[in-house]
Amino acid sequence: MFSTARISSFVVQTVIALLVISGLVMTTILSIRYLTDQAAIGRDNYWKAEIARSEAEAARTIIEQMKLAQKEDQKAQAEIKRLRDQLDNLEKENAKLPDIFGSGIDRDRTRLLNNHSLTDRSHTN
């Protein structure tokens, strides 16, 4: 029926076929692994670029806010100086007025205070 030569030939062909199939499977697995690695590298590069762009935008925003805060601080310092100067002038004018003993604030001091109050209102508007 079956000769040993035929059985040996069949076994050899089967082994060769199995080796070829396992080689193809390994090649396919390695190709899939390579493609997924490349996809991961591409994804990582994309997100690194997005993070860098976002950080640069945040840095620009922070710089703009710092510049704005600095301008507002300068305005506030100028207003503080103006008010201090005004207070100094008011105190000097008050010191020049005669010190009259009485029951309250005299007419000149009242006028001085009224003028001071009016300049504050006109400056804030």
Side-chain angles (χ1 to χ4, degrees):
M1 282 211 235
F2 292 109
S3 68
T4 49
R6 280 184 141 193
I7 291 176
S8 304
S9 173
F10 177 73
V11 169
V12 168
Q13 287 175 353
T14 304
V15 169
I16 291 173
L18 288 174
L19 287 173
V20 168
I21 290 172
S22 66
L24 289 173
V25 168
M26 286 302 293
T27 303
T28 303
I29 290 172
L30 291 174
S31 296
I32 291 171
R33 182 176 289 169
Y34 174 79
L35 292 173
T36 56
D37 288 347
Q38 291 302 308
I41 290 170
R43 180 198 66 224
D44 291 346
N45 288 338
Y46 170 79
W47 286 111
K48 285 178 186 176
E50 284 295 308
I51 289 169
R53 184 189 61 75
S54 176
E55 287 174 348
E57 185 176 322
R60 280 191 300 275
T61 301
I62 289 169
I63 290 169
E64 288 172 11
Q65 289 174 346
M66 287 174 67
K67 287 179 182 178
L68 181 62
Q70 188 176 28
K71 285 180 185 177
E72 293 300 318
D73 183 57
Q74 289 172 348
K75 287 180 187 177
Q77 292 301 324
E79 181 65 11
I80 289 169
K81 182 184 180 325
R82 185 191 71 77
L83 291 172
R84 282 186 180 152
D85 290 346
Q86 187 177 11
L87 178 63
D88 287 344
N89 290 335
L90 182 63
E91 288 175 352
K92 286 176 188 174
E93 289 178 34
N94 185 44
K96 289 179 193 176
L97 294 174
D99 195 11
I100 301 173
F101 295 104
S103 62
I105 299 176
D106 68 358
R107 184 181 55 186
D108 291 334
R109 282 197 169 81
T110 303
R111 286 181 183 155
L112 180 66
L113 291 173
N114 284 339
N115 287 338
H116 173 71
S117 144
L118 290 174
T119 57
D120 276 351
R121 286 186 203 138
S122 66
H123 189 71
T124 57
N125 291 335

